Amino acid sequence: MTEMVRRAAKIADEVLLPAASEVDRSGRIPAGHFDRLAEDGMYGLLAPAEAGGAGAEFPDFLEVVETLARGCVTTTFTWLQHHGVVMGLLMTPNAALREEYLARAVSGDLRGGGAFSGVVSSPPRVRATRSGDGWSISGQVPFVSGWGLVDVLHVSAFDEDSGDVVNGLIPAREGAGVAAVHPLSLVAAQASNTVRLEFRELYLPDEKVTTRVNLQGYLAGLVLGLRVDSSLAFGLIARALTLLEEAGQADVAEALRAEAADLRAKFAAAMADPARLPAMRAACSALAHRACTGYLVVIGGPALIATHEAQRLARESLFTLVVASRPEVKTAVLGLLTASVGEGAA
C-alpha cells in the first residue's frame, strides 16, 4: 500500500464513511471533505513531483479512487472530475495557461469540474466556431457535476469546420454565454450538484484553450476513463462485502470477492486492448449492483427505510451502471442482464 493509498484509507474511514448517509440525505457535501482531500494532496494525485503533485502511477490512482469510493461515492465522484482539469493543464502546449493555473489546481486551491458530455453524444450537442481570437461555444451539456462547488470547468466543444474538439477552461458560474443552468434531481449522488448547462455564444479566448484534438482521437482517449469510472463500482463492492460479512454472510461475501478479484485481473489485461474495456466496465458495474442488492436482500424490510445504508448503496450501484457510460457499455450491460434472465429460466 502506497502512502497516497494509506492517506485515502484514512480519509475514507475518518471523514467520508461516517458522513456518507447524511450527505445522501441532505444533498450536500461538507466543504471540509474537499478541504481534507486538498490537505492530503489528493487534488494533485496525477501531477508529477516537479509540478507539486504526488506523481501517482495509474494503478495507485485507481486504488485511491476505489478506496475513497468505499467511504462515499458522491464525494469521490465529484472530486474525480477535477483530474480532467489537471491533466488538461499538464498536456497543454499553452505554457502561459499552465503557469497561471496548474500550481493552484494541484494544491486544490483551484477546484475544477468537467463539461464534456455534450461532445460524447452523436452528433455532438456542443459546437465551437471561430470568433476573433477565440471560440464561440453554443449547445447543451447534459451533465455537469460540481456546480457551485468548483471554480472552473474544463469544457469541450466540436468544431465542425476542422473536425477538432476544442478544450479549455471557463469560470464555473453563471454569466455571459451561460444561457441556462438546470439543476437535476438524481436518485443517487444528488450532492454532486449535477446540472444541465446551456451555452449560447460563450466566448472561449485562445489563451484559455488547453488542447485541440480530432474527434476520433478525443473519443478514443475517453476509453481509459471506463477503467477510472469502474473504480467507483469497485469501491461500492468493497463496502458491500464488508457489510455482508458483518451481517453473517461470509460465504456470500467471499464468493463475490473472488469474482471481483477475477474481474480486476481481467480489467488489467484488457488495458492493452481498449476494445475489451466496455465489456469490463459493464461487468464491474453489474457486479456492484449484485453485491449491493445482495446486502439489501440480507437486511430485508428494514433496508427499505430511507435512512438505511443498504438502500443507499443499492441506489448508488444503479448510478455506477449508467454514469459516464457509452453505447457499447450499455449494450454489454443489457447482454449481461439478458444472459441472467436466460440462466434463471433454464
PDB file of all heavy atoms in Angstrom, residues 21-61:
ATOM      1  N   SER A  21     -24.149   8.811   4.734  1.00  0.00           N
ATOM      2  CA  SER A  21     -25.623   8.777   4.743  1.00  0.00           C
ATOM      3  C   SER A  21     -26.210  10.174   4.882  1.00  0.00           C
ATOM      4  O   SER A  21     -27.235  10.495   4.267  1.00  0.00           O
ATOM      5  CB  SER A  21     -26.117   7.869   5.869  1.00  0.00           C
ATOM      6  OG  SER A  21     -25.822   6.518   5.577  1.00  0.00           O
ATOM      7  N   GLU A  22     -25.554  11.024   5.654  1.00  0.00           N
ATOM      8  CA  GLU A  22     -26.036  12.399   5.807  1.00  0.00           C
ATOM      9  C   GLU A  22     -25.826  13.186   4.520  1.00  0.00           C
ATOM     10  O   GLU A  22     -26.675  14.011   4.142  1.00  0.00           O
ATOM     11  CB  GLU A  22     -25.323  13.085   6.972  1.00  0.00           C
ATOM     12  CG  GLU A  22     -25.711  14.537   7.188  1.00  0.00           C
ATOM     13  CD  GLU A  22     -27.195  14.754   7.473  1.00  0.00           C
ATOM     14  OE1 GLU A  22     -27.899  13.787   7.841  1.00  0.00           O
ATOM     15  OE2 GLU A  22     -27.661  15.906   7.303  1.00  0.00           O
ATOM     16  N   VAL A  23     -24.722  12.946   3.821  1.00  0.00           N
ATOM     17  CA  VAL A  23     -24.508  13.578   2.520  1.00  0.00           C
ATOM     18  C   VAL A  23     -25.638  13.200   1.572  1.00  0.00           C
ATOM     19  O   VAL A  23     -26.192  14.039   0.858  1.00  0.00           O
ATOM     20  CB  VAL A  23     -23.143  13.156   1.936  1.00  0.00           C
ATOM     21  CG1 VAL A  23     -23.047  13.522   0.455  1.00  0.00           C
ATOM     22  CG2 VAL A  23     -22.008  13.819   2.705  1.00  0.00           C
ATOM     23  N   ASP A  24     -26.009  11.924   1.582  1.00  0.00           N
ATOM     24  CA  ASP A  24     -27.095  11.453   0.723  1.00  0.00           C
ATOM     25  C   ASP A  24     -28.421  12.074   1.134  1.00  0.00           C
ATOM     26  O   ASP A  24     -29.198  12.517   0.288  1.00  0.00           O
ATOM     27  CB  ASP A  24     -27.177   9.927   0.809  1.00  0.00           C
ATOM     28  CG  ASP A  24     -28.296   9.352  -0.041  1.00  0.00           C
ATOM     29  OD1 ASP A  24     -28.179   9.407  -1.282  1.00  0.00           O
ATOM     30  OD2 ASP A  24     -29.292   8.866   0.526  1.00  0.00           O
ATOM     31  N   ARG A  25     -28.691  12.121   2.434  1.00  0.00           N
ATOM     32  CA  ARG A  25     -29.975  12.639   2.913  1.00  0.00           C
ATOM     33  C   ARG A  25     -30.119  14.131   2.660  1.00  0.00           C
ATOM     34  O   ARG A  25     -31.155  14.614   2.205  1.00  0.00           O
ATOM     35  CB  ARG A  25     -30.114  12.369   4.420  1.00  0.00           C
ATOM     36  CG  ARG A  25     -31.476  12.748   5.001  1.00  0.00           C
ATOM     37  CD  ARG A  25     -31.422  12.966   6.492  1.00  0.00           C
ATOM     38  NE  ARG A  25     -30.603  14.117   6.847  1.00  0.00           N
ATOM     39  CZ  ARG A  25     -31.018  15.375   6.744  1.00  0.00           C
ATOM     40  NH1 ARG A  25     -32.235  15.656   6.291  1.00  0.00           N
ATOM     41  NH2 ARG A  25     -30.222  16.376   7.080  1.00  0.00           N
ATOM     42  N   SER A  26     -29.045  14.882   2.937  1.00  0.00           N
ATOM     43  CA  SER A  26     -29.119  16.342   2.856  1.00  0.00           C
ATOM     44  C   SER A  26     -28.878  16.877   1.451  1.00  0.00           C
ATOM     45  O   SER A  26     -29.257  18.010   1.146  1.00  0.00           O
ATOM     46  CB  SER A  26     -28.084  16.960   3.799  1.00  0.00           C
ATOM     47  OG  SER A  26     -26.761  16.672   3.352  1.00  0.00           O
ATOM     48  N   GLY A  27     -28.237  16.068   0.594  1.00  0.00           N
ATOM     49  CA  GLY A  27     -27.881  16.548  -0.732  1.00  0.00           C
ATOM     50  C   GLY A  27     -26.786  17.590  -0.700  1.00  0.00           C
ATOM     51  O   GLY A  27     -26.684  18.441  -1.595  1.00  0.00           O
ATOM     52  N   ARG A  28     -25.931  17.499   0.333  1.00  0.00           N
ATOM     53  CA  ARG A  28     -24.856  18.497   0.474  1.00  0.00           C
ATOM     54  C   ARG A  28     -23.580  17.813   0.954  1.00  0.00           C
ATOM     55  O   ARG A  28     -23.598  17.048   1.918  1.00  0.00           O
ATOM     56  CB  ARG A  28     -25.261  19.576   1.482  1.00  0.00           C
ATOM     57  CG  ARG A  28     -24.292  20.735   1.590  1.00  0.00           C
ATOM     58  CD  ARG A  28     -24.760  21.729   2.641  1.00  0.00           C
ATOM     59  NE  ARG A  28     -24.652  21.156   3.978  1.00  0.00           N
ATOM     60  CZ  ARG A  28     -23.534  21.160   4.712  1.00  0.00           C
ATOM     61  NH1 ARG A  28     -22.421  21.703   4.215  1.00  0.00           N
ATOM     62  NH2 ARG A  28     -23.519  20.647   5.912  1.00  0.00           N
ATOM     63  N   ILE A  29     -22.479  18.094   0.260  1.00  0.00           N
ATOM     64  CA  ILE A  29     -21.176  17.606   0.681  1.00  0.00           C
ATOM     65  C   ILE A  29     -20.514  18.687   1.532  1.00  0.00           C
ATOM     66  O   ILE A  29     -20.357  19.828   1.077  1.00  0.00           O
ATOM     67  CB  ILE A  29     -20.267  17.295  -0.525  1.00  0.00           C
ATOM     68  CG1 ILE A  29     -20.911  16.252  -1.437  1.00  0.00           C
ATOM     69  CG2 ILE A  29     -18.892  16.801  -0.055  1.00  0.00           C
ATOM     70  CD1 ILE A  29     -20.158  16.035  -2.748  1.00  0.00           C
ATOM     71  N   PRO A  30     -20.130  18.382   2.772  1.00  0.00           N
ATOM     72  CA  PRO A  30     -19.464  19.400   3.605  1.00  0.00           C
ATOM     73  C   PRO A  30     -18.185  19.904   2.944  1.00  0.00           C
ATOM     74  O   PRO A  30     -17.426  19.123   2.359  1.00  0.00           O
ATOM     75  CB  PRO A  30     -19.146  18.635   4.903  1.00  0.00           C
ATOM     76  CG  PRO A  30     -20.116  17.501   4.935  1.00  0.00           C
ATOM     77  CD  PRO A  30     -20.322  17.110   3.498  1.00  0.00           C
ATOM     78  N   ALA A  31     -17.958  21.193   3.031  1.00  0.00           N
ATOM     79  CA  ALA A  31     -16.743  21.772   2.451  1.00  0.00           C
ATOM     80  C   ALA A  31     -15.495  21.133   3.041  1.00  0.00           C
ATOM     81  O   ALA A  31     -14.456  21.027   2.367  1.00  0.00           O
ATOM     82  CB  ALA A  31     -16.732  23.278   2.685  1.00  0.00           C
ATOM     83  N   GLY A  32     -15.600  20.683   4.288  1.00  0.00           N
ATOM     84  CA  GLY A  32     -14.464  20.054   4.939  1.00  0.00           C
ATOM     85  C   GLY A  32     -13.987  18.796   4.244  1.00  0.00           C
ATOM     86  O   GLY A  32     -12.803  18.428   4.356  1.00  0.00           O
ATOM     87  N   HIS A  33     -14.889  18.107   3.540  1.00  0.00           N
ATOM     88  CA  HIS A  33     -14.477  16.915   2.786  1.00  0.00           C
ATOM     89  C   HIS A  33     -13.435  17.294   1.729  1.00  0.00           C
ATOM     90  O   HIS A  33     -12.389  16.647   1.609  1.00  0.00           O
ATOM     91  CB  HIS A  33     -15.686  16.274   2.092  1.00  0.00           C
ATOM     92  CG  HIS A  33     -16.560  15.481   2.995  1.00  0.00           C
ATOM     93  ND1 HIS A  33     -16.622  15.678   4.348  1.00  0.00           N
ATOM     94  CD2 HIS A  33     -17.427  14.461   2.729  1.00  0.00           C
ATOM     95  CE1 HIS A  33     -17.487  14.819   4.883  1.00  0.00           C
ATOM     96  NE2 HIS A  33     -17.980  14.064   3.912  1.00  0.00           N
ATOM     97  N   PHE A  34     -13.738  18.327   0.976  1.00  0.00           N
ATOM     98  CA  PHE A  34     -12.831  18.737  -0.093  1.00  0.00           C
ATOM     99  C   PHE A  34     -11.554  19.361   0.471  1.00  0.00           C
ATOM    100  O   PHE A  34     -10.474  19.186  -0.094  1.00  0.00           O
ATOM    101  CB  PHE A  34     -13.537  19.704  -1.039  1.00  0.00           C
ATOM    102  CG  PHE A  34     -14.745  19.115  -1.717  1.00  0.00           C
ATOM    103  CD1 PHE A  34     -16.003  19.670  -1.542  1.00  0.00           C
ATOM    104  CD2 PHE A  34     -14.628  17.987  -2.511  1.00  0.00           C
ATOM    105  CE1 PHE A  34     -17.114  19.118  -2.166  1.00  0.00           C
ATOM    106  CE2 PHE A  34     -15.734  17.431  -3.141  1.00  0.00           C
ATOM    107  CZ  PHE A  34     -16.988  17.996  -2.962  1.00  0.00           C
ATOM    108  N   ASP A  35     -11.688  20.062   1.593  1.00  0.00           N
ATOM    109  CA  ASP A  35     -10.509  20.642   2.231  1.00  0.00           C
ATOM    110  C   ASP A  35      -9.547  19.539   2.678  1.00  0.00           C
ATOM    111  O   ASP A  35      -8.324  19.664   2.508  1.00  0.00           O
ATOM    112  CB  ASP A  35     -10.914  21.497   3.423  1.00  0.00           C
ATOM    113  CG  ASP A  35     -11.673  22.759   3.028  1.00  0.00           C
ATOM    114  OD1 ASP A  35     -11.579  23.157   1.848  1.00  0.00           O
ATOM    115  OD2 ASP A  35     -12.362  23.328   3.896  1.00  0.00           O
ATOM    116  N   ARG A  36     -10.100  18.464   3.242  1.00  0.00           N
ATOM    117  CA  ARG A  36      -9.242  17.368   3.698  1.00  0.00           C
ATOM    118  C   ARG A  36      -8.561  16.685   2.505  1.00  0.00           C
ATOM    119  O   ARG A  36      -7.373  16.335   2.565  1.00  0.00           O
ATOM    120  CB  ARG A  36     -10.074  16.360   4.481  1.00  0.00           C
ATOM    121  CG  ARG A  36      -9.322  15.114   4.930  1.00  0.00           C
ATOM    122  CD  ARG A  36      -8.178  15.425   5.911  1.00  0.00           C
ATOM    123  NE  ARG A  36      -7.483  14.197   6.272  1.00  0.00           N
ATOM    124  CZ  ARG A  36      -7.861  13.379   7.249  1.00  0.00           C
ATOM    125  NH1 ARG A  36      -8.939  13.661   7.986  1.00  0.00           N
ATOM    126  NH2 ARG A  36      -7.169  12.282   7.520  1.00  0.00           N
ATOM    127  N   LEU A  37      -9.294  16.507   1.421  1.00  0.00           N
ATOM    128  CA  LEU A  37      -8.696  15.928   0.224  1.00  0.00           C
ATOM    129  C   LEU A  37      -7.544  16.802  -0.281  1.00  0.00           C
ATOM    130  O   LEU A  37      -6.502  16.287  -0.706  1.00  0.00           O
ATOM    131  CB  LEU A  37      -9.754  15.761  -0.862  1.00  0.00           C
ATOM    132  CG  LEU A  37     -10.793  14.660  -0.621  1.00  0.00           C
ATOM    133  CD1 LEU A  37     -11.983  14.814  -1.579  1.00  0.00           C
ATOM    134  CD2 LEU A  37     -10.175  13.274  -0.784  1.00  0.00           C
ATOM    135  N   ALA A  38      -7.732  18.113  -0.215  1.00  0.00           N
ATOM    136  CA  ALA A  38      -6.671  19.032  -0.647  1.00  0.00           C
ATOM    137  C   ALA A  38      -5.476  18.955   0.296  1.00  0.00           C
ATOM    138  O   ALA A  38      -4.321  18.906  -0.140  1.00  0.00           O
ATOM    139  CB  ALA A  38      -7.215  20.455  -0.715  1.00  0.00           C
ATOM    140  N   GLU A  39      -5.728  18.948   1.595  1.00  0.00           N
ATOM    141  CA  GLU A  39      -4.651  18.903   2.583  1.00  0.00           C
ATOM    142  C   GLU A  39      -3.775  17.667   2.409  1.00  0.00           C
ATOM    143  O   GLU A  39      -2.558  17.713   2.621  1.00  0.00           O
ATOM    144  CB  GLU A  39      -5.244  18.916   3.998  1.00  0.00           C
ATOM    145  CG  GLU A  39      -5.855  20.242   4.409  1.00  0.00           C
ATOM    146  CD  GLU A  39      -6.687  20.110   5.675  1.00  0.00           C
ATOM    147  OE1 GLU A  39      -6.650  19.024   6.297  1.00  0.00           O
ATOM    148  OE2 GLU A  39      -7.358  21.093   6.044  1.00  0.00           O
ATOM    149  N   ASP A  40      -4.395  16.561   2.018  1.00  0.00           N
ATOM    150  CA  ASP A  40      -3.660  15.310   1.869  1.00  0.00           C
ATOM    151  C   ASP A  40      -3.140  15.084   0.451  1.00  0.00           C
ATOM    152  O   ASP A  40      -2.697  13.984   0.103  1.00  0.00           O
ATOM    153  CB  ASP A  40      -4.542  14.127   2.286  1.00  0.00           C
ATOM    154  CG  ASP A  40      -4.572  13.949   3.793  1.00  0.00           C
ATOM    155  OD1 ASP A  40      -4.166  14.886   4.509  1.00  0.00           O
ATOM    156  OD2 ASP A  40      -5.001  12.881   4.275  1.00  0.00           O
ATOM    157  N   GLY A  41      -3.201  16.128  -0.383  1.00  0.00           N
ATOM    158  CA  GLY A  41      -2.580  16.059  -1.700  1.00  0.00           C
ATOM    159  C   GLY A  41      -3.371  15.332  -2.764  1.00  0.00           C
ATOM    160  O   GLY A  41      -2.818  14.990  -3.817  1.00  0.00           O
ATOM    161  N   MET A  42      -4.653  15.114  -2.525  1.00  0.00           N
ATOM    162  CA  MET A  42      -5.437  14.307  -3.455  1.00  0.00           C
ATOM    163  C   MET A  42      -5.797  15.041  -4.748  1.00  0.00           C
ATOM    164  O   MET A  42      -6.085  14.407  -5.761  1.00  0.00           O
ATOM    165  CB  MET A  42      -6.721  13.813  -2.773  1.00  0.00           C
ATOM    166  CG  MET A  42      -6.470  12.869  -1.615  1.00  0.00           C
ATOM    167  SD  MET A  42      -5.607  11.376  -2.150  1.00  0.00           S
ATOM    168  CE  MET A  42      -5.098  10.686  -0.578  1.00  0.00           C
ATOM    169  N   TYR A  43      -5.763  16.364  -4.737  1.00  0.00           N
ATOM    170  CA  TYR A  43      -6.075  17.093  -5.962  1.00  0.00           C
ATOM    171  C   TYR A  43      -4.924  17.050  -6.964  1.00  0.00           C
ATOM    172  O   TYR A  43      -5.130  17.227  -8.159  1.00  0.00           O
ATOM    173  CB  TYR A  43      -6.447  18.547  -5.635  1.00  0.00           C
ATOM    174  CG  TYR A  43      -7.873  18.690  -5.170  1.00  0.00           C
ATOM    175  CD1 TYR A  43      -8.201  18.615  -3.824  1.00  0.00           C
ATOM    176  CD2 TYR A  43      -8.899  18.863  -6.091  1.00  0.00           C
ATOM    177  CE1 TYR A  43      -9.512  18.731  -3.398  1.00  0.00           C
ATOM    178  CE2 TYR A  43     -10.222  18.979  -5.680  1.00  0.00           C
ATOM    179  CZ  TYR A  43     -10.525  18.916  -4.328  1.00  0.00           C
ATOM    180  OH  TYR A  43     -11.823  19.013  -3.907  1.00  0.00           O
ATOM    181  N   GLY A  44      -3.716  16.821  -6.453  1.00  0.00           N
ATOM    182  CA  GLY A  44      -2.561  16.739  -7.341  1.00  0.00           C
ATOM    183  C   GLY A  44      -2.044  15.326  -7.499  1.00  0.00           C
ATOM    184  O   GLY A  44      -0.870  15.107  -7.812  1.00  0.00           O
ATOM    185  N   LEU A  45      -2.925  14.363  -7.333  1.00  0.00           N
ATOM    186  CA  LEU A  45      -2.536  12.959  -7.324  1.00  0.00           C
ATOM    187  C   LEU A  45      -1.762  12.548  -8.570  1.00  0.00           C
ATOM    188  O   LEU A  45      -0.766  11.833  -8.499  1.00  0.00           O
ATOM    189  CB  LEU A  45      -3.803  12.104  -7.175  1.00  0.00           C
ATOM    190  CG  LEU A  45      -3.652  10.668  -6.705  1.00  0.00           C
ATOM    191  CD1 LEU A  45      -2.962  10.601  -5.357  1.00  0.00           C
ATOM    192  CD2 LEU A  45      -5.031  10.000  -6.622  1.00  0.00           C
ATOM    193  N   LEU A  46      -2.213  13.007  -9.743  1.00  0.00           N
ATOM    194  CA  LEU A  46      -1.609  12.591 -11.005  1.00  0.00           C
ATOM    195  C   LEU A  46      -0.495  13.514 -11.483  1.00  0.00           C
ATOM    196  O   LEU A  46       0.214  13.191 -12.437  1.00  0.00           O
ATOM    197  CB  LEU A  46      -2.687  12.496 -12.093  1.00  0.00           C
ATOM    198  CG  LEU A  46      -3.683  11.350 -11.950  1.00  0.00           C
ATOM    199  CD1 LEU A  46      -4.785  11.474 -12.999  1.00  0.00           C
ATOM    200  CD2 LEU A  46      -2.987   9.998 -12.073  1.00  0.00           C
ATOM    201  N   ALA A  47      -0.340  14.645 -10.838  1.00  0.00           N
ATOM    202  CA  ALA A  47       0.695  15.593 -11.261  1.00  0.00           C
ATOM    203  C   ALA A  47       2.066  15.120 -10.792  1.00  0.00           C
ATOM    204  O   ALA A  47       2.206  14.559  -9.706  1.00  0.00           O
ATOM    205  CB  ALA A  47       0.395  16.978 -10.697  1.00  0.00           C
ATOM    206  N   PRO A  48       3.096  15.334 -11.609  1.00  0.00           N
ATOM    207  CA  PRO A  48       4.445  14.919 -11.208  1.00  0.00           C
ATOM    208  C   PRO A  48       4.968  15.753 -10.051  1.00  0.00           C
ATOM    209  O   PRO A  48       4.467  16.845  -9.769  1.00  0.00           O
ATOM    210  CB  PRO A  48       5.267  15.140 -12.483  1.00  0.00           C
ATOM    211  CG  PRO A  48       4.526  16.205 -13.228  1.00  0.00           C
ATOM    212  CD  PRO A  48       3.076  15.973 -12.942  1.00  0.00           C
ATOM    213  N   ALA A  49       6.004  15.232  -9.394  1.00  0.00           N
ATOM    214  CA  ALA A  49       6.565  15.907  -8.229  1.00  0.00           C
ATOM    215  C   ALA A  49       7.060  17.305  -8.573  1.00  0.00           C
ATOM    216  O   ALA A  49       6.931  18.242  -7.774  1.00  0.00           O
ATOM    217  CB  ALA A  49       7.697  15.070  -7.646  1.00  0.00           C
ATOM    218  N   GLU A  50       7.631  17.474  -9.774  1.00  0.00           N
ATOM    219  CA  GLU A  50       8.147  18.791 -10.152  1.00  0.00           C
ATOM    220  C   GLU A  50       7.041  19.833 -10.305  1.00  0.00           C
ATOM    221  O   GLU A  50       7.314  21.039 -10.305  1.00  0.00           O
ATOM    222  CB  GLU A  50       8.985  18.708 -11.438  1.00  0.00           C
ATOM    223  CG  GLU A  50       8.265  18.115 -12.627  1.00  0.00           C
ATOM    224  CD  GLU A  50       8.490  16.610 -12.755  1.00  0.00           C
ATOM    225  OE1 GLU A  50       8.710  15.944 -11.721  1.00  0.00           O
ATOM    226  OE2 GLU A  50       8.431  16.110 -13.903  1.00  0.00           O
ATOM    227  N   ALA A  51       5.792  19.360 -10.446  1.00  0.00           N
ATOM    228  CA  ALA A  51       4.652  20.277 -10.509  1.00  0.00           C
ATOM    229  C   ALA A  51       3.964  20.398  -9.152  1.00  0.00           C
ATOM    230  O   ALA A  51       2.911  21.024  -9.039  1.00  0.00           O
ATOM    231  CB  ALA A  51       3.647  19.807 -11.556  1.00  0.00           C
ATOM    232  N   GLY A  52       4.569  19.777  -8.132  1.00  0.00           N
ATOM    233  CA  GLY A  52       3.997  19.851  -6.796  1.00  0.00           C
ATOM    234  C   GLY A  52       3.037  18.733  -6.464  1.00  0.00           C
ATOM    235  O   GLY A  52       2.401  18.747  -5.404  1.00  0.00           O
ATOM    236  N   GLY A  53       2.907  17.757  -7.375  1.00  0.00           N
ATOM    237  CA  GLY A  53       1.950  16.677  -7.171  1.00  0.00           C
ATOM    238  C   GLY A  53       2.556  15.435  -6.562  1.00  0.00           C
ATOM    239  O   GLY A  53       3.742  15.389  -6.215  1.00  0.00           O
ATOM    240  N   ALA A  54       1.725  14.404  -6.452  1.00  0.00           N
ATOM    241  CA  ALA A  54       2.157  13.140  -5.852  1.00  0.00           C
ATOM    242  C   ALA A  54       2.822  12.224  -6.868  1.00  0.00           C
ATOM    243  O   ALA A  54       3.505  11.265  -6.485  1.00  0.00           O
ATOM    244  CB  ALA A  54       0.959  12.424  -5.226  1.00  0.00           C
ATOM    245  N   GLY A  55       2.598  12.473  -8.153  1.00  0.00           N
ATOM    246  CA  GLY A  55       3.195  11.643  -9.200  1.00  0.00           C
ATOM    247  C   GLY A  55       2.735  10.204  -9.130  1.00  0.00           C
ATOM    248  O   GLY A  55       3.508   9.281  -9.406  1.00  0.00           O
ATOM    249  N   ALA A  56       1.470  10.000  -8.777  1.00  0.00           N
ATOM    250  CA  ALA A  56       0.950   8.638  -8.627  1.00  0.00           C
ATOM    251  C   ALA A  56       0.924   7.906  -9.958  1.00  0.00           C
ATOM    252  O   ALA A  56       0.572   8.478 -10.990  1.00  0.00           O
ATOM    253  CB  ALA A  56      -0.452   8.668  -8.033  1.00  0.00           C
ATOM    254  N   GLU A  57       1.323   6.641  -9.938  1.00  0.00           N
ATOM    255  CA  GLU A  57       1.169   5.786 -11.107  1.00  0.00           C
ATOM    256  C   GLU A  57      -0.307   5.448 -11.268  1.00  0.00           C
ATOM    257  O   GLU A  57      -1.085   5.502 -10.315  1.00  0.00           O
ATOM    258  CB  GLU A  57       1.995   4.513 -10.948  1.00  0.00           C
ATOM    259  CG  GLU A  57       3.492   4.744 -10.829  1.00  0.00           C
ATOM    260  CD  GLU A  57       4.105   5.275 -12.106  1.00  0.00           C
ATOM    261  OE1 GLU A  57       3.535   5.012 -13.185  1.00  0.00           O
ATOM    262  OE2 GLU A  57       5.149   5.944 -12.027  1.00  0.00           O
ATOM    263  N   PHE A  58      -0.693   5.080 -12.496  1.00  0.00           N
ATOM    264  CA  PHE A  58      -2.098   4.845 -12.779  1.00  0.00           C
ATOM    265  C   PHE A  58      -2.730   3.794 -11.857  1.00  0.00           C
ATOM    266  O   PHE A  58      -3.832   4.015 -11.344  1.00  0.00           O
ATOM    267  CB  PHE A  58      -2.284   4.454 -14.245  1.00  0.00           C
ATOM    268  CG  PHE A  58      -3.718   4.418 -14.702  1.00  0.00           C
ATOM    269  CD1 PHE A  58      -4.519   5.552 -14.636  1.00  0.00           C
ATOM    270  CD2 PHE A  58      -4.273   3.251 -15.200  1.00  0.00           C
ATOM    271  CE1 PHE A  58      -5.836   5.527 -15.054  1.00  0.00           C
ATOM    272  CE2 PHE A  58      -5.587   3.211 -15.624  1.00  0.00           C
ATOM    273  CZ  PHE A  58      -6.373   4.351 -15.547  1.00  0.00           C
ATOM    274  N   PRO A  59      -2.080   2.645 -11.586  1.00  0.00           N
ATOM    275  CA  PRO A  59      -2.687   1.669 -10.672  1.00  0.00           C
ATOM    276  C   PRO A  59      -2.936   2.242  -9.278  1.00  0.00           C
ATOM    277  O   PRO A  59      -3.963   1.939  -8.640  1.00  0.00           O
ATOM    278  CB  PRO A  59      -1.665   0.528 -10.640  1.00  0.00           C
ATOM    279  CG  PRO A  59      -0.946   0.635 -11.941  1.00  0.00           C
ATOM    280  CD  PRO A  59      -0.842   2.116 -12.192  1.00  0.00           C
ATOM    281  N   ASP A  60      -2.008   3.073  -8.783  1.00  0.00           N
ATOM    282  CA  ASP A  60      -2.205   3.691  -7.474  1.00  0.00           C
ATOM    283  C   ASP A  60      -3.353   4.688  -7.504  1.00  0.00           C
ATOM    284  O   ASP A  60      -4.125   4.804  -6.542  1.00  0.00           O
ATOM    285  CB  ASP A  60      -0.925   4.393  -7.013  1.00  0.00           C
ATOM    286  CG  ASP A  60       0.132   3.420  -6.534  1.00  0.00           C
ATOM    287  OD1 ASP A  60      -0.226   2.262  -6.230  1.00  0.00           O
ATOM    288  OD2 ASP A  60       1.313   3.799  -6.471  1.00  0.00           O
ATOM    289  N   PHE A  61      -3.450   5.426  -8.599  1.00  0.00           N
ATOM    290  CA  PHE A  61      -4.572   6.364  -8.753  1.00  0.00           C
ATOM    291  C   PHE A  61      -5.900   5.618  -8.683  1.00  0.00           C
ATOM    292  O   PHE A  61      -6.822   6.033  -7.975  1.00  0.00           O
ATOM    293  CB  PHE A  61      -4.444   7.100 -10.087  1.00  0.00           C
ATOM    294  CG  PHE A  61      -5.607   8.000 -10.410  1.00  0.00           C
ATOM    295  CD1 PHE A  61      -5.841   9.145  -9.673  1.00  0.00           C
ATOM    296  CD2 PHE A  61      -6.479   7.692 -11.451  1.00  0.00           C
ATOM    297  CE1 PHE A  61      -6.921   9.981  -9.967  1.00  0.00           C
ATOM    298  CE2 PHE A  61      -7.546   8.512 -11.759  1.00  0.00           C
ATOM    299  CZ  PHE A  61      -7.770   9.667 -11.015  1.00  0.00           C
TER     300      PHE A  61
END
